PDB file of all heavy atoms in Angstrom:
ATOM      1  N   TRP A   1     106.999 132.042 208.516  1.00  0.00           N
ATOM      2  CA  TRP A   1     105.539 131.994 208.538  1.00  0.00           C
ATOM      3  C   TRP A   1     105.111 131.395 209.850  1.00  0.00           C
ATOM      4  O   TRP A   1     105.600 130.323 210.227  1.00  0.00           O
ATOM      5  CB  TRP A   1     105.026 131.148 207.357  1.00  0.00           C
ATOM      6  CG  TRP A   1     103.536 131.077 207.261  1.00  0.00           C
ATOM      7  CD1 TRP A   1     102.700 131.992 206.687  1.00  0.00           C
ATOM      8  CD2 TRP A   1     102.705 130.024 207.750  1.00  0.00           C
ATOM      9  NE1 TRP A   1     101.397 131.568 206.785  1.00  0.00           N
ATOM     10  CE2 TRP A   1     101.360 130.365 207.435  1.00  0.00           C
ATOM     11  CE3 TRP A   1     102.940 128.816 208.409  1.00  0.00           C
ATOM     12  CZ2 TRP A   1     100.289 129.564 207.748  1.00  0.00           C
ATOM     13  CZ3 TRP A   1     101.869 128.013 208.758  1.00  0.00           C
ATOM     14  CH2 TRP A   1     100.573 128.381 208.419  1.00  0.00           C
ATOM     15  N   CYS A   2     104.236 132.076 210.563  1.00  0.00           N
ATOM     16  CA  CYS A   2     103.840 131.616 211.890  1.00  0.00           C
ATOM     17  C   CYS A   2     102.324 131.455 211.988  1.00  0.00           C
ATOM     18  O   CYS A   2     101.579 132.272 211.445  1.00  0.00           O
ATOM     19  CB  CYS A   2     104.290 132.609 212.960  1.00  0.00           C
ATOM     20  SG  CYS A   2     106.079 132.890 212.966  1.00  0.00           S
ATOM     21  N   GLN A   3     101.917 130.417 212.655  1.00  0.00           N
ATOM     22  CA  GLN A   3     100.508 130.199 212.961  1.00  0.00           C
ATOM     23  C   GLN A   3     100.442 129.792 214.431  1.00  0.00           C
ATOM     24  O   GLN A   3     101.045 128.812 214.843  1.00  0.00           O
ATOM     25  CB  GLN A   3      99.924 129.084 212.096  1.00  0.00           C
ATOM     26  CG  GLN A   3      98.446 128.898 212.306  1.00  0.00           C
ATOM     27  CD  GLN A   3      97.869 127.872 211.353  1.00  0.00           C
ATOM     28  OE1 GLN A   3      98.581 127.030 210.841  1.00  0.00           O
ATOM     29  NE2 GLN A   3      96.577 127.924 211.141  1.00  0.00           N
ATOM     30  N   LYS A   4      99.755 130.628 215.223  1.00  0.00           N
ATOM     31  CA  LYS A   4      99.724 130.478 216.674  1.00  0.00           C
ATOM     32  C   LYS A   4     101.172 130.529 217.185  1.00  0.00           C
ATOM     33  O   LYS A   4     101.840 131.524 216.996  1.00  0.00           O
ATOM     34  CB  LYS A   4      99.007 129.188 217.063  1.00  0.00           C
ATOM     35  CG  LYS A   4      97.534 129.198 216.686  1.00  0.00           C
ATOM     36  CD  LYS A   4      96.822 127.940 217.117  1.00  0.00           C
ATOM     37  CE  LYS A   4      95.331 127.985 216.722  1.00  0.00           C
ATOM     38  NZ  LYS A   4      94.622 126.764 217.094  1.00  0.00           N
ATOM     39  N   ASN A   5     101.647 129.465 217.814  1.00  0.00           N
ATOM     40  CA  ASN A   5     103.002 129.510 218.381  1.00  0.00           C
ATOM     41  C   ASN A   5     104.035 128.763 217.513  1.00  0.00           C
ATOM     42  O   ASN A   5     105.183 128.645 217.913  1.00  0.00           O
ATOM     43  CB  ASN A   5     102.999 128.903 219.800  1.00  0.00           C
ATOM     44  CG  ASN A   5     102.165 129.719 220.753  1.00  0.00           C
ATOM     45  OD1 ASN A   5     102.135 130.949 220.662  1.00  0.00           O
ATOM     46  ND2 ASN A   5     101.469 129.056 221.654  1.00  0.00           N
ATOM     47  N   ASP A   6     103.609 128.259 216.375  1.00  0.00           N
ATOM     48  CA  ASP A   6     104.512 127.491 215.505  1.00  0.00           C
ATOM     49  C   ASP A   6     105.002 128.362 214.375  1.00  0.00           C
ATOM     50  O   ASP A   6     104.202 129.006 213.659  1.00  0.00           O
ATOM     51  CB  ASP A   6     103.800 126.269 214.934  1.00  0.00           C
ATOM     52  CG  ASP A   6     103.367 125.292 216.037  1.00  0.00           C
ATOM     53  OD1 ASP A   6     104.104 125.158 217.006  1.00  0.00           O
ATOM     54  OD2 ASP A   6     102.275 124.718 215.904  1.00  0.00           O
ATOM     55  N   CYS A   7     106.327 128.396 214.162  1.00  0.00           N
ATOM     56  CA  CYS A   7     106.906 129.164 213.067  1.00  0.00           C
ATOM     57  C   CYS A   7     107.758 128.253 212.187  1.00  0.00           C
ATOM     58  O   CYS A   7     108.389 127.307 212.635  1.00  0.00           O
ATOM     59  CB  CYS A   7     107.782 130.296 213.618  1.00  0.00           C
ATOM     60  SG  CYS A   7     106.836 131.574 214.460  1.00  0.00           S
ATOM     61  N   PHE A   8     107.747 128.596 210.881  1.00  0.00           N
ATOM     62  CA  PHE A   8     108.453 127.788 209.890  1.00  0.00           C
ATOM     63  C   PHE A   8     109.176 128.704 208.907  1.00  0.00           C
ATOM     64  O   PHE A   8     108.723 129.810 208.628  1.00  0.00           O
ATOM     65  CB  PHE A   8     107.456 126.923 209.104  1.00  0.00           C
ATOM     66  CG  PHE A   8     106.644 126.003 209.968  1.00  0.00           C
ATOM     67  CD1 PHE A   8     105.451 126.439 210.511  1.00  0.00           C
ATOM     68  CD2 PHE A   8     107.078 124.716 210.242  1.00  0.00           C
ATOM     69  CE1 PHE A   8     104.682 125.600 211.323  1.00  0.00           C
ATOM     70  CE2 PHE A   8     106.322 123.873 211.041  1.00  0.00           C
ATOM     71  CZ  PHE A   8     105.132 124.324 211.596  1.00  0.00           C
ATOM     72  N   ASN A   9     110.323 128.236 208.409  1.00  0.00           N
ATOM     73  CA  ASN A   9     111.026 128.994 207.379  1.00  0.00           C
ATOM     74  C   ASN A   9     110.247 128.931 206.080  1.00  0.00           C
ATOM     75  O   ASN A   9     109.693 127.877 205.707  1.00  0.00           O
ATOM     76  CB  ASN A   9     112.453 128.428 207.180  1.00  0.00           C
ATOM     77  CG  ASN A   9     113.363 128.833 208.307  1.00  0.00           C
ATOM     78  OD1 ASN A   9     113.113 129.803 209.027  1.00  0.00           O
ATOM     79  ND2 ASN A   9     114.436 128.092 208.490  1.00  0.00           N
ATOM     80  N   LEU A  10     110.238 130.036 205.370  1.00  0.00           N
ATOM     81  CA  LEU A  10     109.457 130.221 204.158  1.00  0.00           C
ATOM     82  C   LEU A  10     110.389 130.456 202.990  1.00  0.00           C
ATOM     83  O   LEU A  10     111.317 131.265 203.070  1.00  0.00           O
ATOM     84  CB  LEU A  10     108.578 131.449 204.375  1.00  0.00           C
ATOM     85  CG  LEU A  10     107.412 131.786 203.450  1.00  0.00           C
ATOM     86  CD1 LEU A  10     106.358 130.686 203.558  1.00  0.00           C
ATOM     87  CD2 LEU A  10     106.823 133.140 203.854  1.00  0.00           C
ATOM     88  N   ASP A  11     110.201 129.703 201.873  1.00  0.00           N
ATOM     89  CA  ASP A  11     111.065 129.908 200.717  1.00  0.00           C
ATOM     90  C   ASP A  11     110.473 130.950 199.767  1.00  0.00           C
ATOM     91  O   ASP A  11     109.416 131.516 200.031  1.00  0.00           O
ATOM     92  CB  ASP A  11     111.368 128.585 199.998  1.00  0.00           C
ATOM     93  CG  ASP A  11     110.209 128.049 199.172  1.00  0.00           C
ATOM     94  OD1 ASP A  11     109.151 128.729 199.082  1.00  0.00           O
ATOM     95  OD2 ASP A  11     110.326 126.954 198.591  1.00  0.00           O
ATOM     96  N   LYS A  12     111.170 131.237 198.685  1.00  0.00           N
ATOM     97  CA  LYS A  12     110.759 132.304 197.764  1.00  0.00           C
ATOM     98  C   LYS A  12     109.431 132.052 197.089  1.00  0.00           C
ATOM     99  O   LYS A  12     108.805 132.977 196.580  1.00  0.00           O
ATOM    100  CB  LYS A  12     111.845 132.483 196.682  1.00  0.00           C
ATOM    101  CG  LYS A  12     112.059 131.241 195.835  1.00  0.00           C
ATOM    102  CD  LYS A  12     113.223 131.374 194.901  1.00  0.00           C
ATOM    103  CE  LYS A  12     113.422 130.088 194.111  1.00  0.00           C
ATOM    104  NZ  LYS A  12     114.600 130.160 193.231  1.00  0.00           N
ATOM    105  N   ASN A  13     108.949 130.791 197.095  1.00  0.00           N
ATOM    106  CA  ASN A  13     107.688 130.469 196.464  1.00  0.00           C
ATOM    107  C   ASN A  13     106.534 130.399 197.470  1.00  0.00           C
ATOM    108  O   ASN A  13     105.425 130.010 197.107  1.00  0.00           O
ATOM    109  CB  ASN A  13     107.784 129.129 195.736  1.00  0.00           C
ATOM    110  CG  ASN A  13     108.802 129.199 194.593  1.00  0.00           C
ATOM    111  OD1 ASN A  13     108.778 130.133 193.815  1.00  0.00           O
ATOM    112  ND2 ASN A  13     109.680 128.223 194.523  1.00  0.00           N
ATOM    113  N   GLY A  14     106.796 130.750 198.740  1.00  0.00           N
ATOM    114  CA  GLY A  14     105.755 130.724 199.752  1.00  0.00           C
ATOM    115  C   GLY A  14     105.524 129.339 200.336  1.00  0.00           C
ATOM    116  O   GLY A  14     104.477 129.065 200.911  1.00  0.00           O
ATOM    117  N   VAL A  15     106.508 128.457 200.236  1.00  0.00           N
ATOM    118  CA  VAL A  15     106.406 127.085 200.745  1.00  0.00           C
ATOM    119  C   VAL A  15     107.203 126.989 202.044  1.00  0.00           C
ATOM    120  O   VAL A  15     108.336 127.457 202.131  1.00  0.00           O
ATOM    121  CB  VAL A  15     106.954 126.077 199.712  1.00  0.00           C
ATOM    122  CG1 VAL A  15     106.986 124.679 200.291  1.00  0.00           C
ATOM    123  CG2 VAL A  15     106.135 126.127 198.435  1.00  0.00           C
ATOM    124  N   ILE A  16     106.603 126.363 203.079  1.00  0.00           N
ATOM    125  CA  ILE A  16     107.328 126.161 204.329  1.00  0.00           C
ATOM    126  C   ILE A  16     108.144 124.855 204.200  1.00  0.00           C
ATOM    127  O   ILE A  16     107.648 123.873 203.686  1.00  0.00           O
ATOM    128  CB  ILE A  16     106.388 126.111 205.541  1.00  0.00           C
ATOM    129  CG1 ILE A  16     105.238 125.103 205.344  1.00  0.00           C
ATOM    130  CG2 ILE A  16     105.826 127.493 205.835  1.00  0.00           C
ATOM    131  CD1 ILE A  16     104.381 124.910 206.576  1.00  0.00           C
ATOM    132  N   PHE A  17     109.386 124.900 204.682  1.00  0.00           N
ATOM    133  CA  PHE A  17     110.253 123.731 204.464  1.00  0.00           C
ATOM    134  C   PHE A  17     110.960 123.244 205.707  1.00  0.00           C
ATOM    135  O   PHE A  17     111.583 122.188 205.684  1.00  0.00           O
ATOM    136  CB  PHE A  17     111.243 123.996 203.334  1.00  0.00           C
ATOM    137  CG  PHE A  17     112.187 125.137 203.560  1.00  0.00           C
ATOM    138  CD1 PHE A  17     113.423 124.940 204.161  1.00  0.00           C
ATOM    139  CD2 PHE A  17     111.837 126.413 203.186  1.00  0.00           C
ATOM    140  CE1 PHE A  17     114.295 125.985 204.360  1.00  0.00           C
ATOM    141  CE2 PHE A  17     112.712 127.486 203.385  1.00  0.00           C
ATOM    142  CZ  PHE A  17     113.940 127.281 203.984  1.00  0.00           C
ATOM    143  N   GLU A  18     110.939 124.001 206.794  1.00  0.00           N
ATOM    144  CA  GLU A  18     111.518 123.512 208.037  1.00  0.00           C
ATOM    145  C   GLU A  18     111.030 124.365 209.192  1.00  0.00           C
ATOM    146  O   GLU A  18     110.650 125.528 209.018  1.00  0.00           O
ATOM    147  CB  GLU A  18     113.043 123.518 208.001  1.00  0.00           C
ATOM    148  CG  GLU A  18     113.658 124.885 207.884  1.00  0.00           C
ATOM    149  CD  GLU A  18     115.190 124.872 207.799  1.00  0.00           C
ATOM    150  OE1 GLU A  18     115.783 123.790 207.986  1.00  0.00           O
ATOM    151  OE2 GLU A  18     115.777 125.929 207.560  1.00  0.00           O
ATOM    152  N   ALA A  19     111.009 123.783 210.379  1.00  0.00           N
ATOM    153  CA  ALA A  19     110.610 124.520 211.578  1.00  0.00           C
ATOM    154  C   ALA A  19     111.644 125.593 211.883  1.00  0.00           C
ATOM    155  O   ALA A  19     112.844 125.411 211.652  1.00  0.00           O
ATOM    156  CB  ALA A  19     110.447 123.563 212.762  1.00  0.00           C
ATOM    157  N   SER A  20     111.168 126.724 212.381  1.00  0.00           N
ATOM    158  CA  SER A  20     112.062 127.827 212.725  1.00  0.00           C
ATOM    159  C   SER A  20     111.848 128.207 214.174  1.00  0.00           C
ATOM    160  O   SER A  20     110.744 128.578 214.589  1.00  0.00           O
ATOM    161  CB  SER A  20     111.764 129.035 211.809  1.00  0.00           C
ATOM    162  OG  SER A  20     112.534 130.140 212.216  1.00  0.00           O
ATOM    163  N   ALA A  21     112.927 128.084 214.975  1.00  0.00           N
ATOM    164  CA  ALA A  21     112.829 128.455 216.374  1.00  0.00           C
ATOM    165  C   ALA A  21     112.915 129.962 216.550  1.00  0.00           C
ATOM    166  O   ALA A  21     112.436 130.536 217.507  1.00  0.00           O
ATOM    167  CB  ALA A  21     113.937 127.773 217.173  1.00  0.00           C
ATOM    168  N   GLU A  22     113.571 130.621 215.570  1.00  0.00           N
ATOM    169  CA  GLU A  22     113.740 132.069 215.626  1.00  0.00           C
ATOM    170  C   GLU A  22     112.927 132.735 214.537  1.00  0.00           C
ATOM    171  O   GLU A  22     112.749 132.181 213.450  1.00  0.00           O
ATOM    172  CB  GLU A  22     115.231 132.422 215.431  1.00  0.00           C
ATOM    173  CG  GLU A  22     116.140 131.816 216.492  1.00  0.00           C
ATOM    174  CD  GLU A  22     117.593 132.118 216.219  1.00  0.00           C
ATOM    175  OE1 GLU A  22     117.897 132.698 215.173  1.00  0.00           O
ATOM    176  OE2 GLU A  22     118.412 131.786 217.083  1.00  0.00           O
ATOM    177  N   THR A  23     112.449 133.909 214.826  1.00  0.00           N
ATOM    178  CA  THR A  23     111.701 134.668 213.820  1.00  0.00           C
ATOM    179  C   THR A  23     112.432 135.952 213.463  1.00  0.00           C
ATOM    180  O   THR A  23     111.837 136.978 213.179  1.00  0.00           O
ATOM    181  CB  THR A  23     110.289 134.996 214.322  1.00  0.00           C
ATOM    182  OG1 THR A  23     110.384 135.711 215.560  1.00  0.00           O
ATOM    183  CG2 THR A  23     109.447 133.746 214.523  1.00  0.00           C
ATOM    184  N   ILE A  24     113.778 135.882 213.504  1.00  0.00           N
ATOM    185  CA  ILE A  24     114.547 137.067 213.158  1.00  0.00           C
ATOM    186  C   ILE A  24     114.604 137.242 211.651  1.00  0.00           C
ATOM    187  O   ILE A  24     115.019 138.273 211.151  1.00  0.00           O
ATOM    188  CB  ILE A  24     115.983 136.976 213.727  1.00  0.00           C
ATOM    189  CG1 ILE A  24     116.675 135.698 213.224  1.00  0.00           C
ATOM    190  CG2 ILE A  24     115.977 137.016 215.236  1.00  0.00           C
ATOM    191  CD1 ILE A  24     118.163 135.629 213.598  1.00  0.00           C
ATOM    192  N   LEU A  25     114.212 136.200 210.900  1.00  0.00           N
ATOM    193  CA  LEU A  25     114.181 136.320 209.467  1.00  0.00           C
ATOM    194  C   LEU A  25     113.055 137.299 209.096  1.00  0.00           C
ATOM    195  O   LEU A  25     112.037 137.339 209.737  1.00  0.00           O
ATOM    196  CB  LEU A  25     113.912 134.961 208.825  1.00  0.00           C
ATOM    197  CG  LEU A  25     115.030 133.941 209.005  1.00  0.00           C
ATOM    198  CD1 LEU A  25     114.507 132.560 208.672  1.00  0.00           C
ATOM    199  CD2 LEU A  25     116.222 134.266 208.187  1.00  0.00           C
ATOM    200  N   ARG A  26     113.247 138.048 208.057  1.00  0.00           N
ATOM    201  CA  ARG A  26     112.230 138.987 207.646  1.00  0.00           C
ATOM    202  C   ARG A  26     111.833 138.703 206.219  1.00  0.00           C
ATOM    203  O   ARG A  26     112.650 138.324 205.419  1.00  0.00           O
ATOM    204  CB  ARG A  26     112.774 140.448 207.740  1.00  0.00           C
ATOM    205  CG  ARG A  26     113.056 140.886 209.173  1.00  0.00           C
ATOM    206  CD  ARG A  26     111.762 140.967 209.985  1.00  0.00           C
ATOM    207  NE  ARG A  26     111.974 141.485 211.329  1.00  0.00           N
ATOM    208  CZ  ARG A  26     112.146 140.743 212.401  1.00  0.00           C
ATOM    209  NH1 ARG A  26     112.117 139.427 212.300  1.00  0.00           N
ATOM    210  NH2 ARG A  26     112.304 141.268 213.580  1.00  0.00           N
ATOM    211  N   PRO A  27     110.598 138.903 205.870  1.00  0.00           N
ATOM    212  CA  PRO A  27     109.498 139.301 206.744  1.00  0.00           C
ATOM    213  C   PRO A  27     108.932 138.127 207.534  1.00  0.00           C
ATOM    214  O   PRO A  27     108.995 137.005 207.069  1.00  0.00           O
ATOM    215  CB  PRO A  27     108.455 139.838 205.747  1.00  0.00           C
ATOM    216  CG  PRO A  27     108.697 139.058 204.500  1.00  0.00           C
ATOM    217  CD  PRO A  27     110.194 138.828 204.464  1.00  0.00           C
ATOM    218  N   VAL A  28     108.374 138.433 208.686  1.00  0.00           N
ATOM    219  CA  VAL A  28     107.643 137.435 209.458  1.00  0.00           C
ATOM    220  C   VAL A  28     106.174 137.579 209.087  1.00  0.00           C
ATOM    221  O   VAL A  28     105.609 138.660 209.190  1.00  0.00           O
ATOM    222  CB  VAL A  28     107.823 137.660 210.991  1.00  0.00           C
ATOM    223  CG1 VAL A  28     106.954 136.688 211.753  1.00  0.00           C
ATOM    224  CG2 VAL A  28     109.279 137.485 211.364  1.00  0.00           C
ATOM    225  N   VAL A  29     105.570 136.505 208.608  1.00  0.00           N
ATOM    226  CA  VAL A  29     104.177 136.527 208.176  1.00  0.00           C
ATOM    227  C   VAL A  29     103.364 135.648 209.136  1.00  0.00           C
ATOM    228  O   VAL A  29     103.700 134.495 209.338  1.00  0.00           O
ATOM    229  CB  VAL A  29     104.053 136.010 206.720  1.00  0.00           C
ATOM    230  CG1 VAL A  29     102.597 136.106 206.272  1.00  0.00           C
ATOM    231  CG2 VAL A  29     104.951 136.789 205.789  1.00  0.00           C
ATOM    232  N   ARG A  30     102.316 136.210 209.688  1.00  0.00           N
ATOM    233  CA  ARG A  30     101.433 135.469 210.589  1.00  0.00           C
ATOM    234  C   ARG A  30     100.059 135.358 209.947  1.00  0.00           C
ATOM    235  O   ARG A  30      99.683 136.159 209.122  1.00  0.00           O
ATOM    236  CB  ARG A  30     101.317 136.159 211.941  1.00  0.00           C
ATOM    237  CG  ARG A  30     102.571 136.130 212.754  1.00  0.00           C
ATOM    238  CD  ARG A  30     102.344 136.671 214.164  1.00  0.00           C
ATOM    239  NE  ARG A  30     103.607 136.599 214.915  1.00  0.00           N
ATOM    240  CZ  ARG A  30     104.021 135.535 215.572  1.00  0.00           C
ATOM    241  NH1 ARG A  30     103.280 134.427 215.556  1.00  0.00           N
ATOM    242  NH2 ARG A  30     105.154 135.531 216.237  1.00  0.00           N
ATOM    243  N   THR A  31      99.342 134.350 210.383  1.00  0.00           N
ATOM    244  CA  THR A  31      97.936 134.222 209.981  1.00  0.00           C
ATOM    245  C   THR A  31      97.123 133.944 211.236  1.00  0.00           C
ATOM    246  O   THR A  31      97.525 133.146 212.068  1.00  0.00           O
ATOM    247  CB  THR A  31      97.713 133.127 208.926  1.00  0.00           C
ATOM    248  OG1 THR A  31      96.339 133.032 208.626  1.00  0.00           O
ATOM    249  CG2 THR A  31      98.211 131.779 209.385  1.00  0.00           C
ATOM    250  N   GLU A  32      96.001 134.607 211.372  1.00  0.00           N
ATOM    251  CA  GLU A  32      95.134 134.418 212.534  1.00  0.00           C
ATOM    252  C   GLU A  32      93.969 133.496 212.217  1.00  0.00           C
ATOM    253  O   GLU A  32      93.195 133.160 213.090  1.00  0.00           O
ATOM    254  CB  GLU A  32      94.627 135.778 213.047  1.00  0.00           C
ATOM    255  CG  GLU A  32      95.723 136.637 213.620  1.00  0.00           C
ATOM    256  CD  GLU A  32      95.206 137.926 214.218  1.00  0.00           C
ATOM    257  OE1 GLU A  32      94.004 138.224 214.012  1.00  0.00           O
ATOM    258  OE2 GLU A  32      95.966 138.626 214.879  1.00  0.00           O
TER     259      GLU A  32
END
């Protein structure tokens, strides 16, 4: 899950639990 330039790993419940330097995980979800 990414907002602006910050990305975080997303669990199955939609909760972010750690910073992610890579966005190779799928799906990548952004919010503007």
Side-chain angles (χ1 to χ4, degrees):
W1 181 83
C2 302
Q3 184 176 22
K4 296 182 180 178
N5 296 324
D6 298 324
C7 292
F8 303 88
N9 286 338
L10 193 64
D11 75 4
K12 62 187 178 183
N13 298 313
V15 175
I16 52 173
F17 60 92
E18 65 182 352
S20 174
E22 301 177 353
T23 56
I24 56 172
L25 295 165
R26 294 294 185 263
V28 175
V29 182
R30 291 187 179 276
T31 178
E32 292 184 350

